[in-house]
Amino acid sequence: MKLKYADWMRPETDEIVAVFGQAKLVRRLDGKAELRGGTEQDRITAKEWISLFWHEAVLEG
């Protein structure tokens, strides 16, 4: 049985969790995390932040 009344609570797009320079940390609809764009330094900073504040996240891509 599908609960149609609860469909409005589910997000329709990916959620941007944080931005590090040009890199965006995104929580996808399937619950996985993805780091998009940015320079190498931006990505290093994002990975450090993840290790401190969102350590249960597993990066995809």
Side-chain angles (χ1 to χ4, degrees):
M1 179 171 98
K2 185 174 180 179
L3 301 174
K4 292 185 178 185
Y5 68 89
D7 285 348
W8 64 271
M9 291 189 290
R10 207 173 48 224
E12 295 180 8
T13 59
D14 297 339
E15 176 186 2
I16 296 176
V17 177
V19 177
F20 305 92
Q22 296 295 317
K24 294 178 183 174
L25 180 59
V26 176
R27 181 182 301 139
R28 298 188 332 204
L29 292 177
D30 60 4
K32 297 179 181 176
E34 183 177 358
L35 193 55
R36 297 180 183 167
T39 64
E40 188 62 33
Q41 186 60 42
D42 295 339
R43 297 176 74 79
I44 290 170
T45 304
K47 289 176 183 177
E48 289 174 0
W49 185 89
I50 291 168
S51 70
L52 292 172
F53 300 108
W54 197 20
H55 54 272
E56 65 273 5
V58 177
L59 290 179
E60 295 284 324

